Amino acid sequence: MNEKAILKVNGQEFELPIIVGTENETAIDISKLRAMSGYITLDNGYLNTGACTSAITFLDGENGILRYRGIPIEQLAEKSTFTEVAYLLIYGKLPNESELKEWNSAITKHTLIHEDLKRLYVGFPKDGHPMAIMSCMIASLSTYYQDSYDPTNPEHREISIIRLLAKFPTIAAFAFKKSIGQPSIHPINALNYCQNFLNMMFAVPTEEYEIDPIAEEALDLLLILHADHEQNCSASTVRLVGSSLANIYAAISSGICALWGPRHGGANQEVLEMLNEIHDSGLTVKQVIEKSKQKFSNFRLSGFGHRVYKNYDPRAKIIKKATYKVLNKLGVKDHLLDIAIELEEAALTDDFFVERKLYPNVDFYSGIIYRALGIPVNMFTVMFGMGRLPGWIAQWKEMIESPDMKIGRPRQVYVGPKEISYDDAKKGG
Ligand code: CMC
């Protein structure tokens, strides 16, 4: 398409190129606008602003479509594994058999963390939120790898990627063990990614722990579904921090902080707390829905709504189905699932939610599965982070390897005081 957009402003006309994506998404390229016209654009919350082109994930929010490297999420959920999906996202293609073997083996061999790093856990209070611990520990990893974390060096990038994927579950499980006063359980190389995590979370040194294949399968599925979601708040944070050429541990640590918020990944913890509150306080579903509609209340129906999806989140669809299956197979009956279903039905028929196209998102049902696996509520967002890690890495790598990479540095429209001298300001003038 050679079409151009014409911008008329202040009696002048400017031609702006139109960029068309592979799925026919269109954008007006304003990168030269300020140089040509002196104007910038303003877009609070980036509702209309593309910060990059990307070949990783396609998301069509109107039609509820999500694809990693072109492959529909439904097919990956059914046929792939988390580590294979991680490879796909990071390297842009599915690995062949020997590549996958090598990849899994590389990750397996880097799961230990330095013994000295473990001492950091001692400084955290017992009930310190694990997202704070994760962010701190991941940033601290960089202190052990100062000779191999240069983002402009391809070999450094490769080893850092492996280290991060390998050590994240170990760091997460150790944080949990610390919070309950149990000794940490070391990773075991004979176990796969999810088995290892479950073992580090739930085994104790005093007896055999049998890993439930149903739990392993459920965890693998949840990690796949969380693995990437294009330019969301945490991925954009990772890109922004990484664009200063800070090392990848620093960039991922910032992504963890961004994910923590309840409008983003922290919503999975909030959903469970909300469901529990409904159960314990005797509030009706209708009362909760009404409260979430109040304009000036900060309360929102957690796990509902999405910036991009104006349709049922395809991940939520898969997770809802899996919730029944997993609970059934594990023989778990959870009263919170009944409340969630009632809440969903009430919201989907409520005019406020219908008009605003607010549907359940990935966080609405995931917590019920995590709960059935024995994962505590304050670890839910850590689980989201473990899943999202390959996406953050892929986004970071794509940016760093792009010849067009620039430091991320938005502009602003200044609306503060006009120039005033120090003396006049002091006089209150
Ligand atoms: N409950 C009640 N009202 C809502 C909700 C909700 N969950 N979500 C949006 N609205 C209303 C909002 O009040 C606004 O109403 P009005 O037009 O009258 O002012 C309208 O819907 C549009 O909301 P918005 O905040 O302008 O939309 P956004 O695209 O900026 O926000 C969101 C998206 C996900 C932050 C928001 O839907 C939300 O806060 N949801 C609850 C938190 C949540 O579940 N977050 C997880 C998102 S999915 C996973 C992830 O990305 O981490």
Side-chain angles (χ1 to χ4, degrees):
M1 196 198 276
N2 285 326
E3 235 184 288
K4 302 231 183 263
I6 309 287
L7 177 73
K8 283 189 187 171
V9 59
N10 221 1
Q12 281 183 290
E13 263 190 24
F14 302 98
E15 276 195 353
L16 300 165
I18 298 215
I19 309 289
V20 185
T22 42
E23 292 287 346
N24 293 323
E25 286 178 306
T26 43
I28 299 169
D29 178 353
I30 56 146
S31 51
K32 305 267 182 319
L33 180 63
R34 186 171 180 277
M36 287 192 303
S37 68
Y39 284 82
I40 61 162
T41 56
L42 188 61
D43 185 16
N44 185 23
Y46 309 114
L47 269 86
N48 302 286
T49 298
C52 58
T53 55
S54 178
I56 302 169
T57 288
F58 174 67
L59 207 173
D60 174 346
E62 272 67 36
N63 295 305
I65 292 171
L66 171 63
R67 300 181 198 133
Y68 299 161
R69 300 286 186 183
I71 306 175
I73 190 68
E74 293 78 8
Q75 293 176 24
L76 290 166
E78 192 191 327
K79 300 181 180 179
S80 190
T81 60
F82 177 62
T83 54
E84 185 182 55
V85 164
Y87 188 102
L88 170 72
L89 287 168
I90 295 168
Y91 299 106
K93 70 170 196 77
L94 283 172
N96 62 31
E97 211 176 304
S98 70
E99 285 165 336
L100 184 59
K101 212 168 147 202
E102 211 179 297
W103 174 240
N104 283 333
S105 148
I107 294 172
T108 303
K109 287 186 184 131
H110 285 86
T111 46
L112 283 173
I113 59 170
H114 197 289
E115 283 298 301
D116 291 347
L117 184 59
K118 281 169 77 177
R119 286 202 229 139
L120 274 190
Y121 286 107
V122 179
F124 296 115
K126 195 168 171 294
D127 59 352
H129 199 285
M131 284 300 273
I133 299 175
M134 289 310 293
S135 166
C136 170
M137 296 298 284
I138 295 290
S140 304
L141 273 180
S142 63
T143 60
Y144 291 85
Y145 302 116
Q146 294 177 149
D147 58 348
S148 52
Y149 69 21
D150 174 2
T152 64
N153 179 322
E155 282 165 25
H156 288 198
R157 286 204 290 273
E158 284 314 298
I159 185 64
S160 308
I161 288 170
I162 301 276
R163 282 181 177 140
L164 272 164
L165 287 165
K167 294 179 202 303
F168 194 109
T170 312
I171 292 173
F174 283 13
F176 170 61
K177 286 297 198 191
K178 156 78 170 59
S179 74
I180 55 167
Q182 284 186 5
S184 47
I185 300 291
H186 282 123
I188 296 175
N189 284 4
L191 300 179
N192 70 27
Y193 202 81
C194 290
Q195 290 169 338
N196 219 346
F197 178 69
L198 291 169
N199 193 63
M200 289 188 290
M201 285 286 286
F202 301 120
V204 284
T206 43
E207 59 187 40
E208 276 285 293
Y209 172 72
E210 207 176 306
I211 301 157
D212 188 336
I214 298 162
E216 178 197 339
E217 197 187 319
L219 177 59
D220 202 62
L221 173 74
L222 287 174
L223 296 182
I224 291 173
L225 296 175
H226 285 86
D228 192 48
H229 216 230
E230 49 118 307
Q231 309 313 315
N232 55 84
C233 177
S234 56
S236 302
T237 302
V238 170
R239 278 185 180 257
L240 194 59
V241 175
S243 77
S244 73
L245 294 185
N247 67 72
I248 188 173
Y249 303 101
I252 299 291
S253 166
S254 323
I256 293 169
C257 291
L259 185 72
W260 191 2
R263 296 266 156 108
H264 192 9
N268 60 9
Q269 173 171 345
E270 297 251 316
V271 171
L272 238 285
E273 287 167 355
M274 175 182 76
L275 297 176
N276 260 325
E277 199 188 327
I278 296 173
H279 180 259
D280 297 347
S281 68
L283 270 176
T284 64
V285 156
K286 199 169 172 342
Q287 284 169 319
V288 173
I289 300 236
E290 288 310 314
K291 190 173 158 201
S292 77
K293 288 160 35 177
Q294 283 163 17
K295 186 93 191 145
F296 297 107
S297 113
N298 258 338
F299 176 76
R300 285 189 173 192
L301 196 60
S302 296
F304 254 79
H306 197 277
R307 170 62 61 77
V308 184
Y309 291 122
K310 300 301 163 203
N311 200 326
Y312 213 104
D313 181 334
R315 303 166 300 173
K317 237 185 228 171
I318 301 171
I319 296 177
K320 185 179 177 187
K321 240 167 103 186
T323 309
Y324 290 111
K325 212 168 115 190
V326 174
L327 265 57
N328 204 7
K329 281 192 188 170
L330 292 174
V332 173
K333 171 96 187 82
D334 191 342
H335 55 274
L336 296 189
L337 177 59
D338 301 332
I339 299 176
I341 292 165
E342 198 188 334
L343 204 52
E344 179 191 343
E345 278 168 8
L348 291 181
T349 50
D350 186 289
D351 285 349
F352 177 96
F353 284 80
V354 173
E355 276 159 24
R356 290 166 180 75
K357 300 192 169 123
L358 303 170
Y359 291 85
N361 60 48
V362 69
D363 295 318
F364 195 66
Y365 285 104
S366 61
I368 296 178
I369 300 188
Y370 289 136
R371 196 168 124 95
L373 303 186
I375 292 168
V377 178
N378 71 349
M379 284 287 289
F380 286 5
T381 314
V382 173
M383 301 309 299
F384 191 148
M386 195 185 305
R388 183 55 54 88
L389 182 60
W392 288 333
I393 292 172
Q395 299 287 342
W396 171 85
K397 184 168 179 285
E398 183 180 68
M399 176 192 70
I400 292 283
E401 292 176 357
S402 161
D404 302 327
M405 210 236 349
K406 285 193 186 322
I407 187 166
R409 205 295 185 191
R411 288 198 173 253
Q412 64 165 17
V413 176
Y414 175 70
V415 294
K418 287 212 176 259
E419 184 178 353
I420 179 168
S421 74
Y422 175 85
D423 290 338
D424 285 348
K426 195 87 174 163
K427 280 186 255 160

